[in-house]
Amino acid sequence: MFVNNMKFNDLIDEALKECNENTFIPSFRLAKLLQKQHKHIMRDIREELDRSEMENFTIGLFTLTTGLNDNNNVVPYYKITYDGVLYLAGRYSRYNYKNRSDMIETHKRINMQYKKY
């Protein structure tokens, strides 16, 4: 899948890099990277938070706050953690919620092993 002539995985890697540098990425920044409307990213996050089976898993992935966007307008947005980016990437890649949570756990485990070496 390509967005703005870049591979989707490269865009997700860029978002993850930003999360590593800042501990989170604002939802409006992720929307800009993926060339989606911010309101659609916000809707997708709300839908994921509303899933009853995901209540315990999604805690801490997304934090609602307000602040200035790139146009210096005060807007509500979500602070998305590293795991939250992976979770949304799974949604946009059409994985079901169980596969996404497993994918995040596997990614964490691999990263921990990689950092040891």
Side-chain angles (χ1 to χ4, degrees), residues 2 5-16 33:
F2 287 87
N5 296 323
M6 287 184 70
K7 288 184 180 177
F8 180 74
N9 291 345
D10 294 340
L11 293 170
I12 295 302
D13 286 343
E14 190 173 327
L16 293 174
L33 276 175

Side-chain angles (χ1 to χ4, degrees), residues 3-4 6-22 24-26 29-30 32-34 82 85-86:
V3 178
N4 195 21
M6 287 184 70
K7 288 184 180 177
F8 180 74
N9 291 345
D10 294 340
L11 293 170
I12 295 302
D13 286 343
E14 190 173 327
L16 293 174
K17 181 181 175 191
E18 191 166 323
C19 285
N20 277 336
E21 293 170 358
N22 303 318
F24 71 91
I25 185 172
R29 173 78 176 117
L30 184 62
K32 190 173 187 177
L33 276 175
L34 299 178
Y82 190 93
V85 170
L86 289 174

